[in-house]
């Protein structure tokens, strides 16, 4: 009887470990196993007033609703996270562009931090406190894709702007490539809430 109790306790412990494994490595880190980046927009621990701006290349290529979808998909998940659109570039932290790039990425996130000399520097390690960042959508790769996939790319890139890294371990919109969904999943919401709390 004692053995049975121990076994069921062990089983319970295993089950609860499994169910929390998605959140087990959510400390701000920057090695390749991490699902969240240490780097990010440094407005305290919150990004409750992050502003995005759409370059004229967005509307001229008909990507306005796709990028608006990408931004708004991350709203209403955490009280500490909110993205809203502004019409002036200088009022924004996140800037979106649509163009034809002869490279094999669908979308790209380029964060910049202000270095000790006051110059904007590319944060290749996603480690710094960002000042601004660019989202780029690549017409070469997604120009003829379904609008559902275009939206997935936009959601994914805005996820990067909120310090979410790639995630091949969970059901996640932060997994690269075409997926059967295009909005933040349970694991994405968990990571977002853990990053901004
Ligand atoms: Zn994780
Ligand atoms: Zn990505």
């Amino acid at each position: 009887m004692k053995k049975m109790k121990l076994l069921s306790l062990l089983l319970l412990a295993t089950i609860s470990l499994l169910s929390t494994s998605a959140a087990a490595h959510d400390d701000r880190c920057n090695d390749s196993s991490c699902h969240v980046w240490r780097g990010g927009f440094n407005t305290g621990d919150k990004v409750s007033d992050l502003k995005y701006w759409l370059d004229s290349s967005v509307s001229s290529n008909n990507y306005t609703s796709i990028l608006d979808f990408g931004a708004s998909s991350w709203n209403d998940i955490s009280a500490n996270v909110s993205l809203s659109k502004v019409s002036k570039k200088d009022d924004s932290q996140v800037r979106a562009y649509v163009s034809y790039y002869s490279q094999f990425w669908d979308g790209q996130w380029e964060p910049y931090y202000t270095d000790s000399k006051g110059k904007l520097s590319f944060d290749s390690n996603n480690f710094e406190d960002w000042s601004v960042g660019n989202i780029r959508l690549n017409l070469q790769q997604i120009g003829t894709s379904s609008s559902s996939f275009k939206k997935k790319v936009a959601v994914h890139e805005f996820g990067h702007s909120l310090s979410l890294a790639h995630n091949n371990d969970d059901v996640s919109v932060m997994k690269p490539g075409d997926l059967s969904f295009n909005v933040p999943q349970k694991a994405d919401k968990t990571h977002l809430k853990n990053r901004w709390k």
Side-chain angles (χ1 to χ4, degrees):
M1 196 60 200
K2 244 187 176 172
K3 251 188 184 163
M4 277 289 278
K5 253 191 176 167
L6 194 68
L7 200 70
S8 55
L9 266 173
L10 267 169
L11 204 68
L12 257 172
T14 311
I15 289 167
S16 63
L17 253 175
L18 278 173
S19 64
T20 55
S21 66
H25 53 161
D26 281 326
D27 285 322
R28 295 171 193 190
C29 48
N30 75 332
D31 72 58
S32 58
S33 72
C34 297
H35 295 155
V36 294
W37 288 324
R38 183 199 179 283
F41 286 105
N42 184 26
T43 48
D45 281 344
K46 304 179 199 307
V47 279
S48 50
D49 199 21
L50 201 61
K51 308 290 191 194
Y52 73 96
W53 167 85
L54 305 181
D55 178 62
S56 62
S57 61
V58 172
S59 60
S60 64
N61 287 294
N62 288 317
Y63 278 73
T64 305
S65 64
I66 286 160
L67 280 153
D68 287 341
F69 181 91
S72 64
S73 294
W74 295 103
N75 286 335
D76 304 321
I77 296 171
S78 161
N80 294 336
V81 174
S82 137
L83 274 157
S84 60
K85 186 155 77 170
V86 291
S87 55
K88 284 188 197 153
K89 184 182 180 182
D90 285 350
D91 294 338
S92 70
Q93 291 87 47
V94 179
R95 289 118 190 231
Y97 302 84
V98 175
S99 192
Y100 189 100
Y101 303 96
S102 303
Q103 291 171 25
F104 294 106
W105 43 264
D106 302 328
Q108 186 159 277
W109 169 241
E110 300 169 1
Y112 293 86
Y113 67 100
T114 305
D115 70 15
S116 55
K117 291 171 185 162
K119 278 192 172 170
L120 284 181
S121 297
F122 178 55
D123 182 15
S124 56
N125 293 316
N126 298 298
F127 195 74
E128 306 285 347
D129 293 339
W130 302 335
S131 299
V132 293
N134 299 326
I135 287 174
R136 299 190 190 279
L137 301 187
N138 188 359
L139 291 174
Q140 171 181 280
Q141 297 299 107
I142 68 168
T144 57
S145 298
S146 67
S147 81
S148 171
F149 180 59
K150 290 173 182 171
K151 284 178 182 170
K152 185 266 171 177
V153 177
V155 171
H156 178 103
E157 299 310 327
F158 273 105
H160 283 320
S161 81
L162 298 167
S163 301
L164 300 187
H166 282 161
N167 186 344
N168 291 306
D169 305 319
D170 303 308
V171 176
S172 168
V173 79
M174 297 313 293
K175 181 175 180 165
D178 204 353
L179 305 169
S180 61
F181 50 82
N182 63 7
V183 291
Q185 302 295 295
K186 190 168 175 252
D188 301 315
K189 294 177 183 180
T190 302
H191 288 111
L192 190 77
K193 287 185 220 166
N194 283 338
R195 177 61 179 80
W196 302 108
K197 64 185 176 189

